[in-house]
Amino acid sequence: MFSFFLNHSRAQLLLWATAMVVVVALIDWRVDLNVAFGFLYLFPMLVVGNCLPRWQIALVAGLCTFLAECFDPFVWSPAAGIPRDMFIFTAYFGTGLFAHEAARNRQLTSQHVSDIEQEVELRRDAEQQLKGLIETSPAAIFTVDSAGKVLMANQAAHRLLGFESDGLCGEPIGAFLPPLSSVPTADESMPSFRTAMQCRGRRRDGGVFLADVWFSTYNTRSGPRLAAMLVDSSEDLRDREEFSLHQLLAGSRLVVGAVSHEIRNICGAISILYANLSRNAGMTDNEDFRALGTLVEGLERIAMLELRQSAGGEEPTIVDLHSVLDELRIVSEAALGESGILINWELPDGLPCVWADRHNLLQVFMNLAKNSERAMQEQERKELTISAAVEGERVVVRVRDTGCGIASPEGLFQPFQPGAEATGLGLYLSRAFVRSFGGDLHYEAVETGCCFALELARRPEQQNEPRVPEANGKNQNSYIG
């Protein structure tokens, strides 16, 4: 009945209630029997209770009480009429309130059911999206129970660990990732873990790989659980090692070149002295003197060996300077910030691409930033400014700090400098790397601190085939000296 009322508008319900009141009043007025038909007003009260507020229900109950008293066959007197009218009003008003609350509760229940259905639908959609995200993720994702057995794993986890579809579920995770088997389970006495680690993983066929693992522990009604995301980083390890080897070989050849240059200079001086001594007739018959000449000639031949400046390195290519400086910002900004250094980036939009070897160029920037960090350790004002500008056919990047400055800049780029950290080859190698792809690195005098300018060749705007520019018009071997 109440659902029938809820399916109609307020105006329709009021119209029906009015018609029912009129019909009951006519019946009570026209039928001349010793019977009171006032109980029939309960029906219109049920109707108005579904569409009116409480105070209006009270007004309608009062109207129905008045009509019932007017048309009933009983004589009204204060002693009997007032209590009777109070009971009649209470019955009408109570019936209306009952219908009102019933309709209200029905509406609330219907709204609650609708909200629950909507939440269930949203949860179902979220679960489907989450399931789709997990299944299509290239990273291996799985959950483990308190016994260390896999509960759920996506297809990437099956492929990574060498299983067919759904074959990984139920397997002990310690057989493939031993460190995860020692992670404490989450309970009320211990906090949850949310961390990452790198470890060795093992596939089903016995293959070993380097794994980056992100995992967390949590509690459910069924017990503690562990969720983990796993990525095979073996390829990254190989790339890092190959790049380190490339850097080592390139730097070693530069060092050997520098040593060879110094040896050639010494051999030249020894050769002049040997030639002067050979004019003495008494010395030419000396076997030790002749042996000394042979040794000098052999040493000269060793020092004159042509050494390539890069050992199998990459040829210079077109490099987006903005992206390299962004990588520098990612790598160095946190460490510089921990040292209390304020970094100012003055990089205009639209910087052109340059000719460079991307990895070597990043190493040069990192070396300059590290030198500035050491120079500002004892300074009160610690500011590092990295700016870039287009100057003719070159892009110049300046690295300026507020450090202690340089007393003797003329020997900055010489190898094996006394007083330098490690071997004193940082600036020497940096300039050699930059010159290898047609650029240059030099010191610029400033009032306070230190400034290094790194000049890079711009990419030609119109050329059918890119060509690496000449390295300042010099032979590669000239950079070694």
Side-chain angles (χ1 to χ4, degrees):
M1 174 179 174
F2 294 112
S3 61
F4 172 79
F5 292 148
L6 292 175
N7 293 331
H8 294 82
S9 65
R10 183 171 182 270
Q12 289 177 329
L13 294 178
L14 289 176
L15 182 61
W16 290 342
T18 302
M20 293 172 69
V21 169
V22 172
V23 170
V24 173
L26 289 175
I27 292 174
D28 203 9
W29 175 44
R30 299 300 296 174
V31 176
D32 190 10
L33 295 175
N34 193 19
V35 177
F37 292 95
F39 69 93
L40 296 176
Y41 289 111
L42 294 174
F43 295 102
M45 291 305 302
L46 289 173
V47 176
V48 299
N50 286 275
C51 59
L52 293 179
R54 292 183 179 88
W55 68 274
Q56 293 181 358
I57 293 174
L59 292 179
V60 176
L63 175 62
C64 292
T65 301
F66 174 76
L67 293 176
E69 186 64 42
C70 288
F71 298 120
D72 66 13
F74 306 108
V75 178
W76 190 88
S77 64
I82 292 177
R84 183 172 64 245
D85 292 340
M86 292 177 62
F87 282 118
I88 293 174
F89 175 80
T90 302
Y92 293 160
F93 185 56
T95 301
L97 287 180
F98 171 76
H100 176 79
E101 293 300 324
R104 180 173 174 271
N105 290 336
R106 178 60 182 266
Q107 289 177 346
L108 293 176
T109 303
S110 178
Q111 182 64 37
H112 184 61
V113 171
S114 177
D115 293 341
I116 292 177
E117 291 176 350
Q118 186 177 5
E119 289 179 2
V120 170
E121 188 67 25
L122 291 175
R123 186 176 293 109
R124 186 181 296 111
D125 292 341
E127 290 175 353
Q128 290 177 352
Q129 293 178 10
L130 181 59
K131 184 177 180 180
L133 176 64
I134 293 175
E135 289 298 329
T136 58
S137 173
I141 301 174
F142 54 87
T143 58
V144 180
D145 62 10
S146 58
K149 294 185 177 181
V150 178
L151 292 176
M152 183 276 297
N154 63 353
Q155 292 300 316
H158 285 82
R159 289 193 300 269
L160 179 60
L161 299 180
F163 282 85
E164 299 295 334
S165 180
D166 296 331
L168 182 58
C169 298
E171 295 288 335
I173 194 61
F176 310 101
L177 296 167
L180 286 184
S181 61
S182 61
V183 176
T185 57
D187 54 30
E188 295 181 356
S189 61
M190 296 186 63
S192 299
F193 285 91
R194 292 178 178 85
T195 185
M197 68 177 178
Q198 190 175 73
C199 63
R200 285 186 299 176
R202 186 177 298 276
R203 295 186 175 88
R204 187 183 185 184
D205 59 3
V208 180
F209 63 94
L210 183 65
D212 285 327
V213 186
W214 296 264
F215 67 92
S216 62
T217 57
Y218 60 97
N219 274 311
T220 65
R221 292 182 179 178
S222 303
R225 297 286 185 267
L226 182 144
M229 184 171 67
L230 174 67
V231 176
D232 184 358
S233 56
S234 303
E235 190 67 29
D236 294 337
L237 176 62
R238 286 191 290 270
D239 291 342
R240 288 197 302 268
E241 294 302 323
E242 289 178 0
F243 175 68
S244 299
L245 178 61
H246 162 74
Q247 293 295 105
L248 176 62
L249 292 176
S252 299
R253 288 185 176 270
L254 289 173
V255 172
V256 172
V259 174
S260 298
H261 177 77
E262 298 301 325
I263 292 175
R264 286 199 301 270
N265 292 338
I266 296 174
C267 287
I270 295 175
S271 298
I272 294 174
L273 293 176
Y274 181 80
N276 292 336
L277 290 175
S278 64
R279 297 189 183 96
N280 189 342
M283 295 294 294
T284 56
D285 296 332
N286 191 312
E287 293 183 1
D288 292 336
F289 182 74
R290 290 197 299 270
L292 179 62
T294 304
L295 291 176
V296 171
E297 291 178 0
L299 192 59
E300 284 182 340
R301 284 195 297 270
I302 294 174
M304 290 301 294
L305 291 176
E306 294 293 334
L307 295 174
R308 293 185 57 191
Q309 193 171 5
S310 61
E314 296 291 337
E315 292 295 329
T317 57
I318 297 173
V319 174
D320 183 2
L321 185 58
H322 257 300
S323 65
V324 176
L325 292 174
D326 286 340
E327 291 182 12
L328 173 66
R329 190 168 189 169
I330 295 171
V331 172
S332 303
E333 197 166 37
L336 294 174
E338 291 177 357
S339 300
I341 298 175
L342 176 63
I343 309 176
N344 300 316
W345 297 89
E346 300 177 358
L347 306 177
D349 295 331
L351 279 176
C353 294
V354 296
W355 284 105
D357 179 281
R358 186 183 188 89
H359 297 295
N360 288 341
L361 182 59
L362 180 59
Q363 290 294 323
V364 172
F365 282 129
M366 291 177 61
N367 181 56
L368 294 177
K370 194 67 178 178
N371 289 344
S372 296
E373 180 183 4
R374 288 195 295 264
M376 291 187 288
Q377 284 181 351
E378 306 299 331
Q379 303 296 314
E380 294 184 2
R381 181 189 173 200
K382 299 181 179 181
E383 290 187 16
L384 177 64
T385 302
I386 299 177
S387 60
V390 178
E391 299 180 2
E393 295 301 319
R394 299 236 165 190
V395 178
V396 181
V397 181
R398 290 180 171 85
V399 180
R400 180 174 179 177
D401 60 54
T402 57
C404 54
I406 297 175
S408 302
E410 60 276 1
L412 272 176
F413 298 98
Q414 297 299 321
F416 312 112
Q417 296 184 42
E421 293 192 3
T423 59
L425 288 170
L427 289 175
Y428 172 78
L429 293 177
S430 295
R431 187 172 66 173
F433 282 141
V434 175
R435 286 183 170 180
S436 68
F437 41 76
D440 198 6
L441 176 66
H442 56 86
Y443 170 78
E444 290 185 352
V446 290
E447 294 182 1
T448 58
C450 177
C451 179
F452 286 94
L454 196 153
E455 298 181 5
L456 299 170
R458 293 179 57 180
R459 179 187 65 177
E461 298 294 337
Q462 294 181 349
Q463 271 191 339
N464 294 331
E465 294 186 3
R467 180 179 61 87
V468 179
E470 293 292 335
N472 296 335
K474 300 179 182 179
N475 186 279
Q476 293 287 338
N477 292 329
S478 64
Y479 300 144
I480 300 176

